[in-house]
Amino acid sequence: MVTRRPPESESTERNAPSVEAAFQAAPAEMVAEILDGELYLSPRPARPHANVASRLGMVIGTPFMLGRGGPGGWVILDEPELHLGPRPDKIVPDLAGWRRERLPDAVGGDAAPAHYDLVPDWACEVLSDRTRSRDKGQKMRIYTREGVRHLWHVDPVARTLDIFRLAEGQWLSVQSFSGEARVRAEPFDAIELELALVWSR
C-alpha cells in the first residue's frame, strides 16, 4: 500500500502532515515506512524472509555484537526504525549495524525515542517480491545520500548475498556469493560466514 503526498506538498524539507499522521496510525501488524515523502505499508515478512533475516542476525550478532567467537565491537539490531534526512525518511531495514564507538548505548535513557537518527555503518535488506524494487531503488538512494558505508542484499529464495560498499557517493558491487560456501563478507570479514547456516530451514 502506498499513500502519496498531496500535490501541493512537494517540499523537500518536511513530510506532509497527512503522511506523518498516516504513518502514526499504521496498524501494528504492518511495516510502515516513509520514503521520499510517501508512505509505504507492507505486511510482515513471509516465512523465507523472516527465517533468513533471523538466522543472519544470529550468525553475525553472536561474534560481532556479543563477541562470542569474534571481535565484537558492533551493535546489530533487527528491524530498527531509522529517521534519516530532513523530511525525515523513515526506514526499517531488516538488519542494521553501528560500530560500537559510534553507538555506545543502544538503549538510551527513559526519554530515548523508539527510533534511531544516527546513520548506521551497515544495513541489510532481505529481498522479496513485495519489497525488491524499493530495496534496490529508493532505499539504496537514501542510504547513499546519508553515507551508509556498507549494504547487503540477501535473496532467501535464490540464496544469494550481494555486498556493496559506498565509494565516492556511488555503490560499488564488491562481492556476490551464493550457495552454501564459507565466505568473508565486509564489513564482517574478520571471520568466515557460513552461508549454509543462513539458508537452513
Side-chain angles (χ1 to χ4, degrees):
M1 174 182 174
V2 181
T3 300
R4 299 188 180 277
R5 60 183 181 274
E8 67 274 10
S9 179
E10 293 294 331
S11 170
T12 59
E13 295 304 314
R14 301 296 293 177
N15 295 317
S18 59
V19 173
E20 288 286 355
F23 177 86
Q24 295 298 329
E29 67 272 15
M30 305 292 280
V31 178
E33 297 180 294
I34 299 177
L35 309 176
D36 298 325
E38 297 179 5
L39 175 68
Y40 293 85
L41 295 179
S42 303
R44 285 288 167 187
R47 288 187 181 190
H49 183 141
N51 182 63
V52 163
S54 297
R55 286 181 162 275
L56 185 59
M58 290 186 286
V59 167
I60 292 173
T62 299
F64 288 95
M65 185 169 180
L66 302 182
R68 300 281 180 88
W74 283 79
V75 174
I76 309 290
L77 298 178
D78 297 338
E79 295 190 338
E81 182 181 310
L82 308 178
H83 290 195
L84 304 176
R87 280 188 175 277
D89 291 293
K90 299 184 177 182
I91 303 179
V92 182
D94 291 292
L95 294 161
W98 293 259
R99 295 187 186 275
R100 176 64 76 174
E101 62 266 22
R102 294 186 60 236
L103 188 63
D105 183 357
V107 177
D110 293 340
H115 68 271
Y116 293 83
D117 54 16
L118 180 66
V119 176
D121 296 288
W122 167 77
C124 176
E125 300 290 355
V126 179
L127 305 179
S128 68
D129 290 341
R130 290 190 299 244
T131 64
R132 186 182 305 271
S133 62
R134 293 199 300 273
D135 291 339
K136 290 191 166 189
Q138 290 161 296
K139 283 190 167 184
M140 284 189 86
R141 290 193 296 273
I142 292 166
Y143 291 146
T144 300
R145 183 195 72 207
E146 296 301 315
V148 176
R149 299 294 302 166
H150 302 275
L151 176 64
W152 289 12
H153 282 168
V154 180
D155 190 321
V157 177
R159 295 189 172 189
T160 58
L161 168 61
D162 295 315
I163 311 295
F164 302 92
R165 181 197 315 138
L166 192 63
E168 299 181 355
Q170 300 289 327
W171 286 115
L172 175 65
S173 178
V174 178
Q175 294 168 304
S176 292
F177 302 111
S178 62
E180 300 186 352
R182 297 173 68 97
V183 303
R184 291 187 182 269
E186 65 175 60
F188 304 113
D189 47 355
I191 66 168
E192 286 188 328
L193 169 65
E194 296 183 58
L195 289 181
L197 295 179
V198 176
W199 315 131
S200 177
R201 295 172 178 266

